[in-house]
PDB file of all heavy atoms in Angstrom:
ATOM      1  N   VAL A   1       0.842  -1.183  -0.005  1.00 96.00           N
ATOM      2  CA  VAL A   1      -0.004   0.013  -0.007  1.00 96.00           C
ATOM      3  C   VAL A   1       0.892   1.235  -0.003  1.00 96.00           C
ATOM      4  O   VAL A   1       1.736   1.386   0.907  1.00 96.00           O
ATOM      5  CB  VAL A   1      -0.929   0.014   1.225  1.00 96.00           C
ATOM      6  CG1 VAL A   1      -1.731   1.331   1.280  1.00 96.00           C
ATOM      7  CG2 VAL A   1      -1.891  -1.166   1.191  1.00 96.00           C
ATOM      8  N   ALA A   2       0.720   2.086  -0.987  1.00 95.00           N
ATOM      9  CA  ALA A   2       1.480   3.323  -1.036  1.00 95.00           C
ATOM     10  C   ALA A   2       0.935   4.257   0.058  1.00 95.00           C
ATOM     11  O   ALA A   2      -0.267   4.400   0.197  1.00 95.00           O
ATOM     12  CB  ALA A   2       1.346   3.988  -2.404  1.00 95.00           C
ATOM     13  N   ALA A   3       1.834   4.856   0.816  1.00 93.00           N
ATOM     14  CA  ALA A   3       1.414   5.655   1.945  1.00 93.00           C
ATOM     15  C   ALA A   3       2.164   6.979   2.022  1.00 93.00           C
ATOM     16  O   ALA A   3       3.404   6.976   2.072  1.00 93.00           O
ATOM     17  CB  ALA A   3       1.629   4.875   3.264  1.00 93.00           C
ATOM     18  N   VAL A   4       1.418   8.071   2.013  1.00 89.00           N
ATOM     19  CA  VAL A   4       1.990   9.391   2.225  1.00 89.00           C
ATOM     20  C   VAL A   4       1.632   9.913   3.586  1.00 89.00           C
ATOM     21  O   VAL A   4       2.414  10.497   4.274  1.00 89.00           O
ATOM     22  CB  VAL A   4       1.528  10.349   1.102  1.00 89.00           C
ATOM     23  CG1 VAL A   4       2.057  11.784   1.389  1.00 89.00           C
ATOM     24  CG2 VAL A   4       2.016   9.886  -0.267  1.00 89.00           C
ATOM     25  N   SER A   5       0.383   9.669   4.000  1.00 91.00           N
ATOM     26  CA  SER A   5      -0.165  10.221   5.264  1.00 91.00           C
ATOM     27  C   SER A   5      -0.158   9.227   6.367  1.00 91.00           C
ATOM     28  O   SER A   5      -0.024   8.008   6.170  1.00 91.00           O
ATOM     29  CB  SER A   5      -1.579  10.719   4.992  1.00 91.00           C
ATOM     30  OG  SER A   5      -2.438   9.614   4.736  1.00 91.00           O
ATOM     31  N   ASP A   6      -0.396   9.709   7.565  1.00 94.00           N
ATOM     32  CA  ASP A   6      -0.561   8.858   8.736  1.00 94.00           C
ATOM     33  C   ASP A   6      -1.746   7.862   8.568  1.00 94.00           C
ATOM     34  O   ASP A   6      -1.628   6.677   8.892  1.00 94.00           O
ATOM     35  CB  ASP A   6      -0.801   9.679   9.997  1.00 94.00           C
ATOM     36  CG  ASP A   6       0.426  10.418  10.473  1.00 94.00           C
ATOM     37  OD1 ASP A   6       1.433  10.454   9.741  1.00 94.00           O
ATOM     38  OD2 ASP A   6       0.417  10.923  11.630  1.00 94.00           O
ATOM     39  N   ASN A   7      -2.844   8.361   8.035  1.00 93.00           N
ATOM     40  CA  ASN A   7      -4.027   7.507   7.828  1.00 93.00           C
ATOM     41  C   ASN A   7      -3.732   6.352   6.918  1.00 93.00           C
ATOM     42  O   ASN A   7      -4.220   5.219   7.114  1.00 93.00           O
ATOM     43  CB  ASN A   7      -5.199   8.322   7.290  1.00 93.00           C
ATOM     44  CG  ASN A   7      -5.810   9.215   8.368  1.00 93.00           C
ATOM     45  OD1 ASN A   7      -5.665   8.964   9.569  1.00 93.00           O
ATOM     46  ND2 ASN A   7      -6.483  10.272   7.953  1.00 93.00           N
ATOM     47  N   ALA A   8      -2.952   6.609   5.877  1.00 93.00           N
ATOM     48  CA  ALA A   8      -2.641   5.539   4.930  1.00 93.00           C
ATOM     49  C   ALA A   8      -1.740   4.452   5.630  1.00 93.00           C
ATOM     50  O   ALA A   8      -1.929   3.268   5.367  1.00 93.00           O
ATOM     51  CB  ALA A   8      -1.917   6.092   3.707  1.00 93.00           C
ATOM     52  N   VAL A   9      -0.835   4.894   6.431  1.00 96.00           N
ATOM     53  CA  VAL A   9       0.022   3.954   7.160  1.00 96.00           C
ATOM     54  C   VAL A   9      -0.811   3.129   8.118  1.00 96.00           C
ATOM     55  O   VAL A   9      -0.662   1.905   8.242  1.00 96.00           O
ATOM     56  CB  VAL A   9       1.146   4.699   7.910  1.00 96.00           C
ATOM     57  CG1 VAL A   9       1.871   3.770   8.879  1.00 96.00           C
ATOM     58  CG2 VAL A   9       2.131   5.280   6.915  1.00 96.00           C
ATOM     59  N   LYS A  10      -1.745   3.767   8.836  1.00 97.00           N
ATOM     60  CA  LYS A  10      -2.604   3.041   9.767  1.00 97.00           C
ATOM     61  C   LYS A  10      -3.473   2.037   9.033  1.00 97.00           C
ATOM     62  O   LYS A  10      -3.720   0.947   9.547  1.00 97.00           O
ATOM     63  CB  LYS A  10      -3.450   4.052  10.536  1.00 97.00           C
ATOM     64  CG  LYS A  10      -2.691   4.923  11.510  1.00 97.00           C
ATOM     65  CD  LYS A  10      -3.646   5.917  12.207  1.00 97.00           C
ATOM     66  CE  LYS A  10      -2.916   6.795  13.186  1.00 97.00           C
ATOM     67  NZ  LYS A  10      -3.798   7.777  13.813  1.00 97.00           N
ATOM     68  N   ARG A  11      -3.984   2.418   7.873  1.00 95.00           N
ATOM     69  CA  ARG A  11      -4.821   1.483   7.095  1.00 95.00           C
ATOM     70  C   ARG A  11      -4.065   0.236   6.763  1.00 95.00           C
ATOM     71  O   ARG A  11      -4.561  -0.874   6.896  1.00 95.00           O
ATOM     72  CB  ARG A  11      -5.294   2.177   5.821  1.00 95.00           C
ATOM     73  CG  ARG A  11      -6.164   1.290   4.918  1.00 95.00           C
ATOM     74  CD  ARG A  11      -6.598   1.990   3.636  1.00 95.00           C
ATOM     75  NE  ARG A  11      -7.440   3.149   3.905  1.00 95.00           N
ATOM     76  CZ  ARG A  11      -7.086   4.411   3.725  1.00 95.00           C
ATOM     77  NH1 ARG A  11      -5.856   4.684   3.212  1.00 95.00           N
ATOM     78  NH2 ARG A  11      -7.903   5.386   3.985  1.00 95.00           N
ATOM     79  N   ALA A  12      -2.781   0.382   6.335  1.00 96.00           N
ATOM     80  CA  ALA A  12      -1.988  -0.775   5.991  1.00 96.00           C
ATOM     81  C   ALA A  12      -1.661  -1.587   7.229  1.00 96.00           C
ATOM     82  O   ALA A  12      -1.664  -2.838   7.213  1.00 96.00           O
ATOM     83  CB  ALA A  12      -0.688  -0.314   5.317  1.00 96.00           C
ATOM     84  N   ALA A  13      -1.388  -0.910   8.357  1.00 97.00           N
ATOM     85  CA  ALA A  13      -0.974  -1.595   9.603  1.00 97.00           C
ATOM     86  C   ALA A  13      -2.137  -2.447  10.120  1.00 97.00           C
ATOM     87  O   ALA A  13      -1.894  -3.563  10.631  1.00 97.00           O
ATOM     88  CB  ALA A  13      -0.568  -0.573  10.637  1.00 97.00           C
ATOM     89  N   ARG A  14      -3.336  -1.948  10.058  1.00 96.00           N
ATOM     90  CA  ARG A  14      -4.479  -2.713  10.555  1.00 96.00           C
ATOM     91  C   ARG A  14      -4.653  -4.041   9.802  1.00 96.00           C
ATOM     92  O   ARG A  14      -5.180  -5.004  10.342  1.00 96.00           O
ATOM     93  CB  ARG A  14      -5.776  -1.897  10.455  1.00 96.00           C
ATOM     94  CG  ARG A  14      -5.832  -0.704  11.390  1.00 96.00           C
ATOM     95  CD  ARG A  14      -7.225  -0.144  11.448  1.00 96.00           C
ATOM     96  NE  ARG A  14      -7.707   0.365  10.171  1.00 96.00           N
ATOM     97  CZ  ARG A  14      -7.569   1.616   9.743  1.00 96.00           C
ATOM     98  NH1 ARG A  14      -6.966   2.491  10.532  1.00 96.00           N
ATOM     99  NH2 ARG A  14      -8.034   1.971   8.554  1.00 96.00           N
ATOM    100  N   ARG A  15      -4.176  -4.035   8.568  1.00 96.00           N
ATOM    101  CA  ARG A  15      -4.347  -5.223   7.710  1.00 96.00           C
ATOM    102  C   ARG A  15      -3.053  -6.035   7.616  1.00 96.00           C
ATOM    103  O   ARG A  15      -3.048  -7.078   6.958  1.00 96.00           O
ATOM    104  CB  ARG A  15      -4.832  -4.802   6.325  1.00 96.00           C
ATOM    105  CG  ARG A  15      -6.186  -4.172   6.340  1.00 96.00           C
ATOM    106  CD  ARG A  15      -6.547  -3.619   4.979  1.00 96.00           C
ATOM    107  NE  ARG A  15      -7.895  -3.028   4.909  1.00 96.00           N
ATOM    108  CZ  ARG A  15      -9.010  -3.706   4.611  1.00 96.00           C
ATOM    109  NH1 ARG A  15      -8.941  -4.989   4.343  1.00 96.00           N
ATOM    110  NH2 ARG A  15     -10.164  -3.103   4.600  1.00 96.00           N
ATOM    111  N   GLY A  16      -1.942  -5.535   8.142  1.00 96.00           N
ATOM    112  CA  GLY A  16      -0.693  -6.251   8.038  1.00 96.00           C
ATOM    113  C   GLY A  16      -0.126  -6.269   6.642  1.00 96.00           C
ATOM    114  O   GLY A  16       0.477  -7.269   6.203  1.00 96.00           O
ATOM    115  N   LEU A  17      -0.293  -5.162   5.899  1.00 97.00           N
ATOM    116  CA  LEU A  17       0.204  -5.069   4.519  1.00 97.00           C
ATOM    117  C   LEU A  17       1.512  -4.329   4.461  1.00 97.00           C
ATOM    118  O   LEU A  17       1.810  -3.448   5.272  1.00 97.00           O
ATOM    119  CB  LEU A  17      -0.856  -4.364   3.664  1.00 97.00           C
ATOM    120  CG  LEU A  17      -2.243  -4.980   3.665  1.00 97.00           C
ATOM    121  CD1 LEU A  17      -3.204  -4.143   2.821  1.00 97.00           C
ATOM    122  CD2 LEU A  17      -2.211  -6.399   3.137  1.00 97.00           C
ATOM    123  N   ASN A  18       2.310  -4.665   3.453  1.00 97.00           N
ATOM    124  CA  ASN A  18       3.579  -3.936   3.210  1.00 97.00           C
ATOM    125  C   ASN A  18       3.291  -2.468   2.848  1.00 97.00           C
ATOM    126  O   ASN A  18       2.220  -2.180   2.296  1.00 97.00           O
ATOM    127  CB  ASN A  18       4.369  -4.610   2.060  1.00 97.00           C
ATOM    128  CG  ASN A  18       4.724  -6.034   2.376  1.00 97.00           C
ATOM    129  OD1 ASN A  18       5.176  -6.375   3.464  1.00 97.00           O
ATOM    130  ND2 ASN A  18       4.503  -6.907   1.394  1.00 97.00           N
ATOM    131  N   VAL A  19       4.224  -1.615   3.152  1.00 97.00           N
ATOM    132  CA  VAL A  19       4.029  -0.165   2.915  1.00 97.00           C
ATOM    133  C   VAL A  19       5.119   0.349   2.014  1.00 97.00           C
ATOM    134  O   VAL A  19       6.303   0.013   2.179  1.00 97.00           O
ATOM    135  CB  VAL A  19       4.091   0.593   4.272  1.00 97.00           C
ATOM    136  CG1 VAL A  19       4.178   2.101   3.997  1.00 97.00           C
ATOM    137  CG2 VAL A  19       2.850   0.311   5.098  1.00 97.00           C
ATOM    138  N   LEU A  20       4.727   1.166   1.041  1.00 97.00           N
ATOM    139  CA  LEU A  20       5.652   1.859   0.156  1.00 97.00           C
ATOM    140  C   LEU A  20       5.551   3.351   0.488  1.00 97.00           C
ATOM    141  O   LEU A  20       4.516   3.987   0.158  1.00 97.00           O
ATOM    142  CB  LEU A  20       5.372   1.576  -1.310  1.00 97.00           C
ATOM    143  CG  LEU A  20       6.302   2.284  -2.301  1.00 97.00           C
ATOM    144  CD1 LEU A  20       7.744   1.823  -2.115  1.00 97.00           C
ATOM    145  CD2 LEU A  20       5.827   2.000  -3.723  1.00 97.00           C
ATOM    146  N   LEU A  21       6.552   3.928   1.106  1.00 96.00           N
ATOM    147  CA  LEU A  21       6.579   5.314   1.454  1.00 96.00           C
ATOM    148  C   LEU A  21       6.986   6.200   0.260  1.00 96.00           C
ATOM    149  O   LEU A  21       7.555   5.665  -0.704  1.00 96.00           O
ATOM    150  CB  LEU A  21       7.493   5.571   2.643  1.00 96.00           C
ATOM    151  CG  LEU A  21       7.146   4.794   3.920  1.00 96.00           C
ATOM    152  CD1 LEU A  21       8.193   5.027   5.002  1.00 96.00           C
ATOM    153  CD2 LEU A  21       5.766   5.161   4.420  1.00 96.00           C
ATOM    154  N   SER A  22       6.748   7.456   0.353  1.00 90.00           N
ATOM    155  CA  SER A  22       6.922   8.383  -0.754  1.00 90.00           C
ATOM    156  C   SER A  22       8.337   8.886  -0.852  1.00 90.00           C
ATOM    157  O   SER A  22       9.066   8.948   0.124  1.00 90.00           O
ATOM    158  CB  SER A  22       5.953   9.543  -0.585  1.00 90.00           C
ATOM    159  OG  SER A  22       6.251  10.602  -1.473  1.00 90.00           O
ATOM    160  N   ASP A  23       8.695   9.371  -2.071  1.00 87.00           N
ATOM    161  CA  ASP A  23       9.956  10.045  -2.220  1.00 87.00           C
ATOM    162  C   ASP A  23       9.908  11.449  -1.582  1.00 87.00           C
ATOM    163  O   ASP A  23      10.935  12.136  -1.514  1.00 87.00           O
ATOM    164  CB  ASP A  23      10.361  10.171  -3.710  1.00 87.00           C
ATOM    165  CG  ASP A  23       9.243  10.706  -4.529  1.00 87.00           C
ATOM    166  OD1 ASP A  23       8.303  11.344  -4.004  1.00 87.00           O
ATOM    167  OD2 ASP A  23       9.271  10.537  -5.805  1.00 87.00           O
ATOM    168  N   ALA A  24       8.751  11.847  -1.104  1.00 85.00           N
ATOM    169  CA  ALA A  24       8.638  13.119  -0.365  1.00 85.00           C
ATOM    170  C   ALA A  24       9.056  12.972   1.096  1.00 85.00           C
ATOM    171  O   ALA A  24       9.199  13.965   1.796  1.00 85.00           O
ATOM    172  CB  ALA A  24       7.221  13.642  -0.442  1.00 85.00           C
ATOM    173  N   HIS A  25       9.215  11.719   1.588  1.00 91.00           N
ATOM    174  CA  HIS A  25       9.589  11.494   2.977  1.00 91.00           C
ATOM    175  C   HIS A  25      11.116  11.476   3.137  1.00 91.00           C
ATOM    176  O   HIS A  25      11.782  10.658   2.484  1.00 91.00           O
ATOM    177  CB  HIS A  25       9.005  10.168   3.451  1.00 91.00           C
ATOM    178  CG  HIS A  25       7.516  10.112   3.467  1.00 91.00           C
ATOM    179  ND1 HIS A  25       6.787   9.059   2.975  1.00 91.00           N
ATOM    180  CD2 HIS A  25       6.599  11.007   3.926  1.00 91.00           C
ATOM    181  CE1 HIS A  25       5.506   9.263   3.112  1.00 91.00           C
ATOM    182  NE2 HIS A  25       5.369  10.451   3.665  1.00 91.00           N
ATOM    183  N   ASP A  26      11.648  12.297   4.019  1.00 92.00           N
ATOM    184  CA  ASP A  26      13.041  12.183   4.340  1.00 92.00           C
ATOM    185  C   ASP A  26      13.218  11.029   5.340  1.00 92.00           C
ATOM    186  O   ASP A  26      12.239  10.401   5.790  1.00 92.00           O
ATOM    187  CB  ASP A  26      13.629  13.484   4.868  1.00 92.00           C
ATOM    188  CG  ASP A  26      12.924  13.989   6.142  1.00 92.00           C
ATOM    189  OD1 ASP A  26      12.288  13.199   6.837  1.00 92.00           O
ATOM    190  OD2 ASP A  26      13.057  15.224   6.409  1.00 92.00           O
TER     191      ASP A  26
END
C-alpha cells in the first residue's frame, strides 16, 4: 500500500500489509 499520510500507514498496519513510502519522505 502506497502511503504518504498517517491515515494511509494506519490502514496498512491494521491489515498487516507492506508499505511503500513516498519520495517526499526524508
